[in-house]
Amino acid sequence: MWKQFFLVLKLLMEYQKGTDSPWFPYLASLPRYFSNGPSMTPFCYNCIPSYLTELCQKERATMNQLLMLKSLSANLPHEWLGDETRGNADLWKWAYQIVLTRAVTSSSPSTDGDERDVDVDVDDGDENEHGDLRLLPLADMINHSHEPNVEILHDEYGNAYVQAIRDIPANTPLCRSYGNPANPSYLLARYGFLEEDHPWSFCKLLPGHVTEEMVDLGYHPHRLLFDKTTGDVSEEVWDVLLYLVLGDEDTCGDGGATQRQFHRAHVEGNHEVKAQIHREWYVHTLATLAEHVEEVLRELEVLEEKG
């Protein structure tokens, strides 16, 4: 949050200078309209799936928290940030959107001594504590792809440059990854677009409470996946669903003993015991998966009627 706040302040200070700012050509090229999470209203949240709503509301809450911090700008010299700029809430929202959708966080130095830039992922934490948050006009020229062909690095002097990570034929657009394409809801909440070409997608399994044991089994939007082309689901989906089934006392009725045995087998790498439990409870796990799919489809039908 603080890194975003200071970068927003820098943007506003340069914006206030107008044509006197060396940033003016860059600022003038930036968009003024956004269709991502922070730009949505409560009405919008009623028209999108629940998981996407959760991500969008989180992004908007972060923006609102930052707007509450703008009172701290009163301590800045007037020539840095005038009253008109300081009190313009729409301008603050615009600056926040620029930082949210364009800033990258430098990761740890690589083996060659250069720092690699990574996009901030809402699912992995809002900021990289060990990296700088940076705006790179160069990066704005590079679109997203789930098959990136370049990465952005910084040398020891802080200069940014683009490096190919595979052979790039002539006339091929330069692309980098804005985030895990298997979680398209994140891309829409953060950037306002969907990744439609990637075959895998988060299965939207959203239990009321996620335990440490479920995380051990692979509960994460980047791992609970289904293949949009074949209908296959990842191993983690089956594991988490079975764990939920075994925790249902009405279904299993052994006080969680089998559930604990399954988790222990997973942690210890006992594939034989784990596979045996899967076989014994396959019918129940399959029924739970089918129920989840039907629930998602019903939700989509309701949302389609609203559209």
Side-chain angles (χ1 to χ4, degrees), residues 27-49:
L27 296 178
S29 72
L30 294 173
R32 265 56 179 174
Y33 173 80
F34 300 88
S35 56
N36 56 354
S39 66
M40 294 185 184
T41 66
F43 175 80
C44 299
Y45 300 144
N46 292 323
C47 302
I48 57 179

Side-chain angles (χ1 to χ4, degrees), residues 103-166:
V104 293
T105 304
S106 61
S107 62
S108 301
S110 61
T111 54
D112 56 13
D114 290 332
E115 291 184 340
R116 286 172 168 76
D117 278 340
V118 294
D119 283 272
V120 180
D121 192 331
V122 70
D123 293 319
D124 294 328
D126 285 345
E127 293 185 12
N128 181 336
E129 294 181 358
H130 305 293
D132 294 327
L133 196 61
R134 300 165 174 172
L135 282 172
L136 305 174
L138 176 71
D140 286 355
M141 307 295 292
I142 305 174
N143 289 326
H144 165 80
S145 172
H146 66 269
E147 296 180 346
N149 52 25
V150 300
E151 62 181 354
I152 300 174
L153 303 111
H154 284 77
D155 61 23
E156 58 183 316
Y157 303 105
N159 299 309
Y161 64 96
V162 176
Q163 176 173 289
I165 57 177
R166 56 187 174 89

Side-chain angles (χ1 to χ4, degrees), residues 224-238:
L224 294 179
L225 308 175
F226 79 95
D227 191 318
K228 295 180 289 186
T229 58
T230 67
D232 293 337
V233 296
S234 63
E235 179 182 352
E236 290 84 354
V237 172
W238 291 110

Side-chain angles (χ1 to χ4, degrees), residues 282-300:
Y282 175 73
V283 173
H284 296 278
T285 310
L286 183 61
T288 303
L289 176 60
E291 181 180 344
H292 169 65
V293 172
E294 290 175 0
E295 181 180 348
V296 172
L297 292 177
R298 284 195 298 269
E299 182 182 17
L300 293 177

Side-chain angles (χ1 to χ4, degrees), residues 36-284:
N36 56 354
S39 66
M40 294 185 184
T41 66
F43 175 80
C44 299
Y45 300 144
N46 292 323
C47 302
I48 57 179
S50 55
Y51 175 64
L52 178 57
T53 296
E54 179 183 337
L55 294 183
C56 290
Q57 288 177 330
K58 183 176 181 179
E59 295 284 15
R60 188 172 180 86
T62 302
M63 180 181 70
N64 290 336
Q65 290 172 8
L66 185 138
L67 290 176
M68 293 175 63
L69 292 176
K70 71 186 182 73
S71 61
L72 299 177
S73 64
N75 299 321
L76 296 176
H78 188 272
E79 59 269 20
W80 287 10
L81 209 62
D83 292 338
E84 183 177 351
T85 302
R86 203 189 316 270
N88 190 332
D90 289 337
L91 191 56
W92 279 80
K93 291 178 182 179
W94 170 78
Y96 171 76
Q97 286 277 31
I98 297 302
V99 172
L100 178 70
T101 58
R102 279 164 165 72
V104 293
T105 304
S106 61
S107 62
S108 301
S110 61
T111 54
D112 56 13
D114 290 332
E115 291 184 340
R116 286 172 168 76
D117 278 340
V118 294
D119 283 272
V120 180
D121 192 331
V122 70
D123 293 319
D124 294 328
D126 285 345
E127 293 185 12
N128 181 336
E129 294 181 358
H130 305 293
D132 294 327
L133 196 61
R134 300 165 174 172
L135 282 172
L136 305 174
L138 176 71
D140 286 355
M141 307 295 292
I142 305 174
N143 289 326
H144 165 80
S145 172
H146 66 269
E147 296 180 346
N149 52 25
V150 300
E151 62 181 354
I152 300 174
L153 303 111
H154 284 77
D155 61 23
E156 58 183 316
Y157 303 105
N159 299 309
Y161 64 96
V162 176
Q163 176 173 289
I165 57 177
R166 56 187 174 89
D167 291 340
I168 305 175
N171 300 317
T172 300
L174 301 183
C175 299
R176 62 189 185 93
S177 175
Y178 288 10
N180 193 314
N183 188 5
S185 296
Y186 160 72
L187 292 174
L188 181 58
R190 174 60 60 92
Y191 299 104
F193 72 87
L194 288 171
E195 166 66 87
E196 299 180 355
D197 297 332
H198 197 274
W200 290 92
S201 182
F202 176 41
C203 72
K204 311 299 187 296
L205 184 61
L206 303 170
H209 175 62
V210 178
T211 65
E212 293 182 7
E213 290 78 10
M214 292 169 65
V215 174
D216 291 339
L217 292 168
Y219 188 91
H220 193 282
H222 296 172
R223 299 177 66 185
L224 294 179
L225 308 175
F226 79 95
D227 191 318
K228 295 180 289 186
T229 58
T230 67
D232 293 337
V233 296
S234 63
E235 179 182 352
E236 290 84 354
V237 172
W238 291 110
D239 286 350
V240 172
L241 283 174
L242 175 56
Y243 184 82
L244 293 173
V245 168
L246 297 175
D248 185 352
E249 191 64 22
D250 293 335
T251 302
C252 193
D254 64 355
T258 306
Q259 186 187 52
R260 291 189 294 272
Q261 180 188 19
F262 178 71
H263 175 257
R264 184 168 58 252
H266 175 82
V267 172
E268 296 175 353
N270 192 333
H271 303 293
E272 184 177 348
V273 171
K274 186 177 173 182
Q276 178 184 347
I277 299 175
H278 263 298
R279 287 192 296 269
E280 293 176 356
W281 293 90
Y282 175 73
V283 173
H284 296 278

